[in-house]
Amino acid sequence: MQKRLTVLPLLCFSLIMGCKESTQKAETTKSRPNILFIMSDDHAYQAISAYDTTLIQTPNIDRLAKEGMLFTNASVTNSICAPSRATILTGKHTHINGKIDNISPFDTTQVTFPQLLQKAGYQTAMFGKLHFGNSPKGFDEFMIVPGQGRYMNPDFITPKGDTIQKMGYASDIITDMTLEWLDQKRDPEKPFLMMYLHKAPHRPWWPKADKFKAYLEKEIPEPASLFDDYTGRGTAARTAEMNIFKHMLLSYDCKVYPELADELGMNTDPRNGPLFSRGEVARLTEEQQAEYLPILDAIAEDFKAKWPNMDDTEKTRWKYQRYMQDYLATIASVDDNVGRVLDYLDKTNLADNTLVVYTSDQGFYLGEHGWFDKRFMYQESFGTPLLIRWPNTIKPGITSDEMVQNLDFAQTFLEAAGAAIPDDMQGESLMPILTGNLEQWDRENVYYHYYEYPAEHMVKRHYGMANKQYKLIHFYHDVDEWELYDLAKDPHEMQNVYDDPAYAEIREELKEELKALRVKYKDSEELDQKFIDKYKK
């Protein structure tokens, strides 16, 4: 009897402690937010209607601004695909994580924030485009496209290391996989990190058939600087190979049949053919061909009727329309699919405890300065969209002009999850901004460094710093030129005032601040030269 009386209190104590432990676990799980990180590829902020309604309406992405926070001074540290993604994962500049360009290898000894979240009890998944590495670290499940991926009937690399093909349109498929995981594979007892990564709207801007047809009929407004002659800028702007008229390809980019371009003597670039012989057109099923070929025929008919009689100005305008029609059409599908995921969060009562981020791996030129692509530290390339929703933490409908970067995501997510932040991460958590505690945020300047030269588009190597009023850039390697822009007076960066005597004092102050940033982020002239020498090999 005595033994039974002794055991009973112990049993009750164990049950109480077990219940208490379960309750604490449930409360901890509930208090830690789910994280949904949505990133598109080359999505310019100008093509999100929460920023600007001139080009397109994106009602689903706009929801995140209406229900959360929109950042107007978000930027990247290196405006090119793989380096941007490496920075996001590691919270470190590309000269630290090794991925300085699309060619250099990522330092696989680097610890990524998904690894740390996984260690902290998060269930993790990634679907879509990573662009480097076939086995992303820190994910319980993933399906990623090889390299840039394909729009039509894309291939995916699985955790087993094999490659499978899924039929359909990439933006839809990536969303289908994301929703399937959330609905059927997610452990409801754990918070989750979902990295939902669109391939779109990366070049060659191949839209879904219905959007392709609809946008072909739209007239897209031209930017004021479409015919920029680069007066007031330096060598780098004049020598870059990303001009819509000179460098946009008739077949690969504008979807003109290669045979027709040959017939008119216009198909001089060998890159024109692959879109049709090995790219998206070659991947179409017979059913898909029935949808797409009439659209391509319409483009061919318009081209044949107009091109031979056009002057260079008219040809620029024709190429601009073709470019923007396709680019915006791909974004329309991204927006539709973002809406599907946000609706799912609402229907399953996950929205209230899910931190949702929408961003791009960098900005993009939509005809500004006559350009397409990115790479420069000029605004349209350097700036990136950033919208964050976190119910009960972020007040809805807020706009922030703080100087934030993709360098900051890792620390932000780790702090939101209550996980330890490694000392060697170089960004700053955005939590003070998200929670309205701006007295805890003191960043004024951000740092940028671009390396991939000589290479496609021929944008020269440069580094620089920016704050809310000024931007200072140093182009180096085969030139030694400085550029300074007064963003308050010249927001479109049309006039370099580096040699203007009126800016002499601020120029020297900014050069000292840039020098300090180089030290802070462990960058240097020695590293500049090291990467130049390595690139030559």
Side-chain angles (χ1 to χ4, degrees):
M1 184 70 174
Q2 181 65 39
K3 183 177 180 181
R4 289 180 62 191
L5 289 174
T6 304
V7 170
L8 186 60
L10 288 173
L11 179 61
C12 292
F13 178 77
S14 298
L15 287 171
I16 292 170
M17 291 305 293
C19 290
K20 184 176 180 181
E21 184 177 328
S22 297
T23 302
Q24 287 175 339
K25 181 180 178 182
E27 289 176 351
T28 301
T29 300
K30 185 177 180 181
S31 64
R32 293 190 296 171
N34 305 309
I35 299 169
L36 171 61
F37 182 75
I38 311 172
M39 185 165 70
S40 297
D41 194 310
D42 293 344
H43 190 172
Y45 59 85
Q46 312 93 287
I48 295 177
S49 48
Y51 285 93
D52 191 337
T53 59
T54 303
L55 298 175
I56 192 173
Q57 292 295 321
T58 52
N60 295 298
I61 297 171
D62 291 359
R63 277 183 57 185
L64 299 176
K66 293 174 183 175
E67 300 168 5
M69 183 175 290
L70 180 144
F71 289 81
T72 58
N73 270 327
S75 63
V76 296
T77 64
N78 186 349
S79 185
I80 190 167
C81 298
S84 177
R85 293 157 195 269
T87 290
I88 289 168
L89 288 171
T90 63
K92 299 175 187 177
H93 279 273
T94 52
H95 61 273
I96 300 294
N97 64 47
K99 197 66 182 164
I100 61 167
D101 51 40
N102 281 339
I103 302 168
S104 299
F106 175 66
D107 178 1
T108 56
T109 66
Q110 296 287 324
V111 175
T112 67
F113 82 83
Q115 287 178 281
L116 299 174
L117 287 180
Q118 190 181 49
K119 186 177 180 180
Y122 272 68
Q123 190 178 13
T124 60
M126 173 190 284
F127 298 105
K129 178 182 174 182
L130 175 61
H131 197 191
F132 68 91
N134 292 340
S135 182
K137 298 191 296 182
F139 291 96
D140 299 314
E141 186 164 346
F142 65 84
M143 292 277 279
I144 56 174
V145 298
Q148 298 287 4
R150 300 288 193 178
Y151 280 102
M152 298 305 303
N153 308 323
D155 298 324
F156 289 89
I157 299 169
T158 76
K160 296 179 181 179
D162 58 348
T163 300
I164 62 172
Q165 185 178 26
K166 288 183 173 286
M167 305 306 289
Y169 187 68
S171 299
D172 297 339
I173 294 168
I174 292 167
T175 304
D176 291 343
M177 293 191 298
T178 298
L179 290 173
E180 180 186 21
W181 187 90
L182 288 171
D183 193 55
Q184 300 178 23
K185 301 179 181 179
R186 179 180 63 87
D187 182 351
E189 297 300 315
K190 292 183 177 182
F192 67 80
L193 164 70
M194 166 59 72
M195 296 193 75
Y196 166 43
L197 310 176
H198 281 282
K199 179 237 178 341
H202 194 278
R203 190 183 187 189
W205 320 299
W206 188 266
K208 194 174 180 180
D210 59 338
K211 308 291 187 186
F212 201 176
K213 183 177 179 181
Y215 275 79
L216 191 60
E217 300 172 0
K218 293 180 182 289
E219 184 76 15
I220 311 300
E222 296 174 1
S225 59
L226 180 60
F227 296 97
D228 192 350
D229 64 2
Y230 313 116
T231 301
R233 268 62 51 80
T235 302
R238 295 193 298 272
T239 58
E241 296 179 359
M242 43 201 275
N243 180 270
I244 288 174
F245 172 62
K246 295 178 181 178
H247 305 115
M248 186 166 280
L249 305 175
L250 282 174
S251 297
Y252 185 76
D253 295 318
C254 299
K255 318 300 188 295
V256 174
Y257 288 127
E259 298 81 4
L260 177 56
D262 285 339
E263 178 185 326
L264 298 178
M266 299 296 173
N267 204 6
T268 57
D269 194 302
R271 293 172 294 174
N272 271 314
L275 181 70
F276 291 80
S277 63
R278 299 192 302 275
E280 305 303 340
V281 176
R283 299 176 73 84
L284 299 177
T285 64
E286 288 187 9
E287 184 179 355
Q288 291 166 342
Q289 286 180 21
E291 293 182 293
Y292 278 99
L293 293 183
I295 305 169
L296 296 172
D297 289 344
I299 293 170
E301 183 179 344
D302 185 67
F303 175 78
K304 190 171 184 178
K306 295 177 180 178
W307 191 266
N309 301 314
M310 289 180 180
D311 60 24
D312 289 353
T313 297
E314 291 168 326
K315 288 176 179 178
T316 299
R317 289 194 159 116
W318 189 90
K319 279 188 167 184
Y320 170 77
Q321 291 298 323
R322 280 278 52 253
Y323 164 41
M324 291 305 299
Q325 288 163 350
D326 294 350
Y327 180 88
L328 296 174
T330 65
I331 288 172
S333 289
V334 170
D335 187 68
D336 287 348
N337 280 292
V338 168
R340 291 173 62 199
V341 175
L342 296 182
D343 288 346
Y344 177 84
L345 296 182
D346 289 343
K347 291 175 184 176
T348 54
N349 297 317
L350 286 170
D352 283 349
N353 196 39
T354 301
L355 190 167
V356 181
V357 173
Y358 186 89
T359 190
S360 173
D361 53 356
Q362 63 263 319
F364 214 68
Y365 292 104
L366 304 185
E368 299 89 357
H369 309 293
W371 288 332
F372 65 102
D373 208 71
K374 57 258 184 180
R375 302 165 197 267
F376 275 114
M377 196 186 172
Y378 302 138
Q379 182 55 32
E380 292 83 4
S381 167
F382 173 61
T384 192
L386 178 59
L387 305 90
I388 304 180
R389 185 186 76 179
W390 189 3
N392 306 314
T393 300
I394 299 175
K395 292 181 180 180
I398 300 296
T399 298
S400 173
D401 67 349
E402 296 300 329
M403 303 297 293
V404 304
Q405 289 194 293
N406 58 352
L407 185 69
D408 303 324
F409 292 142
Q411 293 92 317
T412 303
F413 297 149
L414 291 171
E415 182 173 350
I421 300 173
D423 292 338
D424 61 350
M425 285 188 172
Q426 294 182 305
E428 297 180 30
S429 169
L430 303 180
M431 288 294 286
I433 303 174
L434 303 182
T435 57
N437 296 308
L438 289 177
E439 69 279 359
Q440 298 175 21
W441 178 265
D442 61 359
R443 180 193 283 159
E444 295 183 0
N445 302 317
V446 292
Y447 182 64
Y448 179 89
H449 201 150
Y450 175 79
Y451 299 87
E452 194 170 289
Y453 175 86
E456 186 175 10
H457 298 300
M458 296 299 284
V459 173
K460 295 186 182 297
R461 294 173 184 244
H462 59 289
Y463 60 84
M465 59 141 297
N467 56 38
K468 292 179 183 179
Q469 184 166 359
Y470 298 105
K471 184 179 293 181
L472 179 67
I473 308 172
H474 181 212
F475 291 95
Y476 69 97
H477 180 32
D478 58 353
V479 294
D480 182 8
E481 296 181 2
W482 290 82
E483 296 183 7
L484 171 63
Y485 295 95
D486 185 335
L487 303 177
K489 295 180 179 179
D490 180 22
H492 301 296
E493 300 166 325
M494 301 295 286
Q495 186 61 47
N496 174 21
V497 296
Y498 183 83
D499 292 322
D500 186 335
Y503 288 87
E505 184 175 349
I506 188 65
R507 179 187 68 209
E508 295 310 310
E509 290 177 8
L510 292 173
K511 288 183 78 171
E512 287 302 311
E513 291 175 11
L514 176 57
K515 186 183 298 183
L517 284 177
R518 298 260 280 173
V519 172
K520 175 181 178 180
Y521 293 120
K522 301 179 181 179
D523 204 359
S524 64
E525 290 184 2
E526 290 76 19
L527 275 179
D528 298 346
Q529 190 59 51
K530 171 187 172 182
F531 291 129
I532 290 170
D533 295 339
K534 188 174 182 180
Y535 197 79
K536 291 176 181 177
K537 293 180 180 179

